């Protein structure tokens, strides 16, 4: 079976490249999440590594996590593995850069925003649409307020709307908007990260998020419990997921 993730090194082993490779949606299902975790486990601690760059094949970065895996029988396992990955990226000892084209939604935005530096094409769109199908985004509820502030995070989390790359730049989600975001990310790496001591860079990366890693991890554990024990037993959460899969309008009962 073809791997859903392309993995290789560049810049004399100083940069690890991870490319989501299930176009056009690049859905973050169990297979893709597992492949990313395996790549980070195998290669993320190489001594000379100075950065990790995520991007994606096809016109879109990711439509998010698998809706089928959100259903009651699978959601506990899905959340556990995906949240483990998000926390691994958030706590990465080397800078994680992400290049985005097209849609970056749901779990795709949770993965991208957990990293350190984000570059996007002018046509990129960012959103957490989970509330539109009757659920919410646990990882984004923890990571986005730290990255873009509570007001901007609550806008995305409560409305489910998507914003443009330019709006994402204004609220601080992005570092740069560029016609070729991959080239922009590589240029940043070459200029600002590649010349640095890999050892010292790891200390700086850890120091920048000192205290945040522990607080985000604790908050995410509590929110995951809320999702599984309080949200998923409700009618509307399950109804919204089934309505999405059945391509129909959900019938809310407000419970």
């Amino acid at each position: 079976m073809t791997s859903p993730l392309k993995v290789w090194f560049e810049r004399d082993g100083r940069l690890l490249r991870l490319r989501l490779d299930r176009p056009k949606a690049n859905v973050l299902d169990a297979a893709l999440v597992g492949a990313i975790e395996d790549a980070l486990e195998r290669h993320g601690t190489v001594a000379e590594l100075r950065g990790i760059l995520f991007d994606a094949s096809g016109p879109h970065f990711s439509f998010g996590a698998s809706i089928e895996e959100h259903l009651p029988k699978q959601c506990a396992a899905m959340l556990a593995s995906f949240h483990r990955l998000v926390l691994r990226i958030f706590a990465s000892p080397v800078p994680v850069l992400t290049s985005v084209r097209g849609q970056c939604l749901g779990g795709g935005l949770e993965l991208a925003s957990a990293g350190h530096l984000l570059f996007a094409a002018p046509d990129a769109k960012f959103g957490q649409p989970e509330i539109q199908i009757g659920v919410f985004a646990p990882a984004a509820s923890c990571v986005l307020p730290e990255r873009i502030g509570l007001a901007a995070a609550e806008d995305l989390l409560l409305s489910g709307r998507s914003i443009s790359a330019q709006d994402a730049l204004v609220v601080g989600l992005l570092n740069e908007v560029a016609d070729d975001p991959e080239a922009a990310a590589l240029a940043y790496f070459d200029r600002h990260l590649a010349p640095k001591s890999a050892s010292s860079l790891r200390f700086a990366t850890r120091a920048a998020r000192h205290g945040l890693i522990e607080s985000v991890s604790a908050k995410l554990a509590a929110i995951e419990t809320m999702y599984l024990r309080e949200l998923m037993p409700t009618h509307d959460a399950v109804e919204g997921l089934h309505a999405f899969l059945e391509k129909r309008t959900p019938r809310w009962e407000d419970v």
Side-chain angles (χ1 to χ4, degrees):
M1 182 178 178
T2 304
S3 172
L5 182 74
K6 290 183 177 178
V7 181
W8 73 99
F9 282 96
E10 287 184 0
R11 278 34 182 191
D12 298 321
R14 297 182 175 191
L15 178 65
L16 174 62
R17 298 292 304 268
L18 301 177
R19 177 167 292 166
L20 313 185
D21 194 31
R22 277 195 174 162
K24 70 176 183 179
N26 290 310
V27 171
L28 290 159
D29 60 8
L32 181 49
V33 169
I36 298 170
E37 274 220 281
D38 182 66
L40 293 174
E41 181 72 26
R42 288 171 178 264
H43 308 300
T45 57
V46 173
E48 61 268 29
L49 198 65
R50 289 157 170 82
I52 299 167
L53 174 56
F54 280 96
D55 64 8
S57 299
H60 302 291
F61 182 75
S62 175
F63 285 5
S66 165
I67 299 300
E68 290 84 356
E69 291 177 7
H70 277 77
L71 293 173
K73 290 184 178 180
Q74 299 182 64
C75 67
M78 180 275 296
L79 288 180
S81 62
F82 184 67
H83 291 166
R84 185 170 59 247
L85 173 61
V86 169
L87 290 173
R88 180 187 285 271
I89 293 170
F90 193 79
S92 172
V94 298
V96 176
L97 298 78
T98 306
S99 165
V100 173
R101 292 183 179 275
Q103 302 285 346
C104 182
L105 304 175
L109 180 51
E110 290 178 311
L111 184 149
S113 60
H116 302 84
L117 299 151
L118 235 171
F119 304 81
D123 67 345
K125 300 289 184 183
F126 301 87
Q128 297 290 164
E130 288 86 349
I131 192 65
Q132 297 183 22
I133 58 172
V135 293
F136 67 87
S141 298
C142 302
V143 174
L144 282 182
E146 299 292 348
R147 189 176 187 98
I148 62 176
L150 185 58
E154 287 179 333
D155 172 26
L156 295 180
L157 294 166
L158 302 181
S159 72
R161 74 186 185 100
S162 293
I163 59 174
S164 68
Q166 190 57 46
D167 287 342
L169 181 67
V170 170
V171 300
L173 179 63
L174 302 182
N175 294 87
E176 186 177 344
V177 176
D179 289 336
D180 187 339
E182 180 187 356
L186 290 171
Y188 184 99
F189 177 83
D190 290 340
R191 180 176 181 182
H192 299 294
L193 303 180
K196 304 296 192 298
S197 157
S199 173
S200 298
L201 189 59
R202 288 171 189 266
F203 285 113
T205 303
R206 287 169 52 198
R209 295 193 173 186
H210 181 70
L212 287 179
I213 296 168
E214 295 78 9
S215 65
V216 167
S217 179
K219 182 178 178 182
L220 185 53
I223 290 177
E224 182 178 316
T225 298
M226 179 199 302
Y227 191 103
L228 294 173
R229 296 184 182 177
E230 299 181 45
L231 174 73
M232 289 310 295
T234 67
H235 168 275
D236 285 359
V238 178
E239 164 63 14
L241 294 169
H242 281 295
F244 179 87
L245 292 171
E246 296 164 12
K247 298 181 171 57
R248 61 174 173 80
T249 302
R251 296 182 285 270
W252 305 128
E253 294 185 3
D254 300 327
V255 292

